[in-house]
Amino acid sequence: MALKSKIEELQKRKEEVLQGGGEQANAKQAAMGKLTARERVIALLDEDSFHEYDLFVEHEARDFGMDNKVLHGDGVVIGTGSVYGAPVAVFAQDFTVAGGSLGMMHARKITKIMDYALRMRIPLIGINDSGGARIQEGVNSLAGYGEIFWRNTLSSGIIPQISVILGPCAGGAVYSPALTDFVFVVDKISKMFITGPEVIKSVLGEEISQEELGGARVHAEITGNAHFFAESEIECFEQIKKLITFIPWNNSRKARRFEPKEPKPEYNISNIVPNDAKQPYDVRDVIKALADDSDFFEIQELWAANIVIGFGRLNGETVGFVANQPLVMAGVLDVDSSDKAARFIRYCDAFNIPLCTLVDLPGYLPGIDQEHAGVIRHGAKLLYAYSEASVPKMTVILRKAYGGGYIAMSSRHLRADFVFAWPGAEIAVMGPEGAANIIFRKEITEAANPDEMRRKKVEEYKEKFANPYVAASKGYIDTVIEPKETRKQLLHALEVSSTKIADRPAKKHGIPPF
Ligand code: HXC
């Protein structure tokens, strides 16, 4: 065959594969408001950067009528490209081909690109849109999932792993996203659950829709499985691109440095936190008053909103912010907020991202619900994560820091490198009211006017302990600063810690309270 006709053959073969599941299946995908696998990859990556591999892979199944079925690319698209110039490896399940179901060769394509990403130390982005294990391929598809989970775990903490749920992700398939660092969902498109509505109906006799069971909102607001929620696929891709700008390619690098920019003047740090310790405010305004260009990229915004986590930059360098949110439940720590912050701290630590913690909380949430939900175990994750983290750790106590909350929120005792407190900081075992009621109980009950006596004792306690100076006198706080000095102090702290070495005794690994 002449070269020309060989090239024509290649072009013809390519054309066929690029149709995916064909016109009808593509139209069905579009009718569901979904892009096709290749459209998604192209929309996500830099223009003309996508290089696809394994186009001509075919399945090898022979049972249940599979022997004469053609499944283009075996229902998954893999390749490499870039996002704002950062190299990335990608796979995107193609729902138009056998419902994106995962057979043996489909899994091999995914594991091939996962191995590639790990070997090249570049981020992996997986777009999930699949009916799950390919039923006709039996144990081979289960083996495929196992191979994926193993690689997710192996790569964890070495390369960033990002999961995008753009269709069904059901049964055991959910565990690959759950093992990755960030999960993105899109309203009305993402569906994630272990057992679907049909199984629930047959086992429990309950009717429930896919949306109610595991739609995007469920995972963004209730379960915390999703880290980012978008209204459309295109918005979701913008979020992924933004995330990539904040994180390094792998754990041996730093995130890309940007041109430093001062925060926007509308965020005046001296006017955000009210004097009265009971008055709420939005701690995100404090972060925006500190971060370069007031740019704060929040993670898990809709879940456990009593703690705020996300990325910003200080002097051009990515920093992970962790802050109690007095606007929601006074910023208390509970089961979910401890989980949320602990995982983020471990992410930042694994990827060389310094931590900046803003403290204003009344402590851990009391009550039988929390105790029985395991607040001891979950709360311990936060202590573990901060203690273990060896990246530079900077803490600013804005206002209240009571009890266990004071210790847990990156205190000196858990080896924060720099601890600053504002003049209005109150550092004590508990709030003045509770404290006075306990330690002056006798005086209060025996007084001619107990209310008057309580007020007096509360004031006495406040005067003595509810300030930053007792902690500062012991060196637990490095310096008490005015709010307006905070950014300058943080920039200096960051500069001084750029060569930080935190020695730890050698061990295989610790046993965190998972
Ligand atoms: C083989 C599958 C498939 C599967 C879908 N298809 N899921 N083929 N194995 N798991 C095929 C359909 O037969 C159909 O093929 C095409 O994909 C499109 O599917 P539709 O049903 O027409 O699409 P839709 O109506 O949108 O419904 C989507 C769906 C449904 C809700 C995902 O297909 C579904 O319920 N699929 C089965 C889900 C499931 O139970 N999976 C196994 C989970 S167990 P044709 O040829 O007609 O176009 C599991 C265990 C993993 O995953 C354990 C790992 C540890």
Side-chain angles (χ1 to χ4, degrees):
M1 210 193 287
L3 181 60
K4 187 164 169 268
S5 41
K6 283 185 180 171
I7 290 174
E8 279 167 4
E9 188 202 350
L10 168 67
Q11 286 169 342
K12 190 170 150 275
R13 281 174 181 261
K14 262 186 167 173
E15 249 167 55
E16 272 172 22
V17 174
L18 294 180
Q19 287 169 6
E23 227 169 90
Q24 215 179 338
N26 286 331
K28 193 177 158 196
Q29 179 86 345
M32 288 189 280
K34 292 158 68 178
L35 298 174
T36 63
R38 286 186 186 81
E39 284 170 346
R40 285 167 171 167
V41 173
I42 287 163
L44 172 65
L45 301 183
D46 293 342
E47 211 179 327
D48 285 335
S49 75
F50 181 51
H51 289 66
E52 185 172 345
Y53 312 125
D54 280 359
L55 257 93
F56 303 120
V57 161
E58 264 295 334
H59 72 85
E60 293 179 358
R62 295 291 167 260
D63 300 324
F64 303 106
M66 290 292 284
D67 39 356
N68 49 22
K69 234 185 192 169
V70 176
L71 299 181
H72 288 139
D74 206 23
V76 63
V77 172
I78 66 165
T80 51
S82 61
V83 171
Y84 293 133
V88 293
V90 191
F91 72 82
Q93 293 180 307
D94 185 349
F95 194 82
T96 69
V97 177
S101 56
L102 185 136
M104 186 179 80
M105 294 309 290
H106 177 120
R108 271 198 202 159
K109 282 180 72 170
I110 294 179
T111 53
K112 182 174 180 174
I113 203 70
M114 291 177 84
D115 289 342
Y116 189 90
L118 181 60
R119 205 159 63 240
M120 302 305 167
R121 298 292 195 266
I122 57 175
L124 174 77
I125 304 173
I127 300 180
N128 295 263
D129 186 2
S130 165
R134 187 172 299 151
I135 296 160
Q136 298 92 327
E137 295 201 31
V139 72
N140 267 338
S141 25
L142 298 184
Y145 277 116
E147 292 289 331
I148 293 170
F149 302 160
W150 186 82
R151 282 169 176 79
N152 284 136
T153 309
L154 188 71
S155 297
S156 180
I158 301 177
I159 51 168
Q161 299 185 84
I162 293 169
S163 295
V164 197
I165 314 298
L166 294 181
C169 180
V174 297
Y175 285 115
S176 174
L179 287 166
T180 62
D181 306 329
F182 298 105
V183 177
F184 289 75
V185 293
V186 175
D187 200 18
K188 305 199 174 63
I189 289 180
S190 313
K191 311 276 186 294
M192 268 181 113
F193 35 75
I194 299 274
T195 46
E198 278 167 33
V199 177
I200 291 181
K201 193 172 171 203
S202 66
V203 176
L204 303 171
E206 288 168 12
E207 295 264 4
I208 187 161
S209 69
Q210 286 193 20
E211 192 65 36
E212 285 172 287
L213 187 61
R217 281 207 175 273
V218 169
H219 292 300
E221 292 175 9
I222 301 172
T223 67
N225 287 331
H227 299 80
F228 296 94
F229 173 89
E231 302 284 348
S232 69
E233 294 196 19
I234 297 300
E235 187 193 346
C236 171
F237 299 148
E238 289 305 317
Q239 292 173 341
I240 297 169
K241 288 184 196 174
K242 183 150 186 181
L243 173 67
I244 297 273
T245 68
F246 278 106
I247 58 178
W249 301 355
N250 61 53
N251 69 334
S252 64
R253 289 188 166 228
K254 295 279 280 181
R256 199 175 128 202
R257 212 187 161 87
F258 278 67
E259 197 54 41
K261 267 191 184 161
E262 282 303 301
K264 294 185 171 136
E266 65 251 43
Y267 297 100
N268 180 349
I269 198 155
S270 303
N271 293 340
I272 301 168
V273 178
N275 253 338
D276 178 354
K278 289 198 179 117
Q279 284 282 313
Y281 63 94
D282 191 341
V283 78
R284 289 173 297 194
D285 290 341
V286 179
I287 299 174
K288 287 176 190 166
L290 292 171
D292 285 14
D293 202 25
S294 301
D295 185 14
F296 176 53
F297 188 52
E298 191 171 351
I299 301 167
Q300 289 176 312
E301 183 182 345
L302 303 172
W303 179 64
N306 40 328
I307 205 152
V308 169
I309 58 170
F311 296 121
R313 291 189 186 91
L314 290 176
N315 207 22
E317 181 178 350
T318 297
V319 167
F321 283 95
V322 179
N324 310 115
Q325 173 57 292
L327 208 55
V328 180
M329 296 157 70
V332 284
L333 283 172
D334 58 2
V335 165
D336 287 345
S337 59
S338 301
D339 278 9
K340 174 174 162 179
R343 194 168 186 275
F344 179 64
I345 292 160
R346 293 199 101 201
Y347 183 85
C348 292
D349 190 43
F351 287 98
N352 314 312
I353 298 172
L355 287 159
C356 178
T357 304
L358 305 179
V359 186
D360 188 350
L361 83 164
Y364 279 92
L365 180 63
I368 188 168
D369 290 349
Q370 283 294 307
E371 297 290 348
H372 288 191
V375 70
I376 297 174
R377 179 163 50 90
H378 292 276
K381 293 180 195 178
L382 190 57
L383 303 171
Y384 195 102
Y386 269 127
S387 300
E388 182 191 44
S390 61
V391 287
K393 295 183 281 193
M394 304 167 290
T395 306
V396 186
I397 303 175
L398 307 177
R399 206 170 55 171
K400 299 190 291 278
Y402 297 155
Y406 157 72
I407 308 169
M409 290 302 292
S410 198
S411 62
R412 159 68 17 87
H413 323 292
L414 305 187
R415 300 298 180 269
D417 297 294
F418 296 90
V419 183
F420 307 112
W422 285 4
E426 299 181 6
I427 301 163
V429 172
M430 58 169 71
E433 278 79 10
N437 275 333
I438 294 170
I439 59 179
F440 302 119
R441 186 185 301 150
K442 205 151 167 253
E443 286 96 320
I444 292 171
T445 46
E446 285 171 5
N449 185 339
D451 284 345
E452 180 62 35
M453 179 61 85
R454 182 177 297 110
R455 257 194 303 279
K456 210 176 123 218
K457 291 296 179 191
V458 166
E459 273 318 304
E460 214 175 279
Y461 184 87
K462 262 192 191 164
E463 197 113 312
K464 198 159 173 64
F465 291 118
N467 62 59
Y469 300 105
V470 180
S473 74
K474 318 273 177 222
Y476 300 153
I477 286 168
D478 295 306
T479 172
V480 181
I481 58 172
E482 287 183 48
K484 66 174 190 220
E485 296 172 62
T486 311
R487 182 173 151 93
K488 211 171 142 211
Q489 290 280 1
L490 291 175
L491 295 193
H492 176 71
L494 203 55
E495 200 182 322
V496 173
S497 13
S498 68
T499 42
K500 177 182 175 183
I501 293 175
D503 283 330
R504 298 283 198 275
K507 57 181 163 183
K508 185 173 175 190
H509 58 68
I511 300 133
F514 276 165

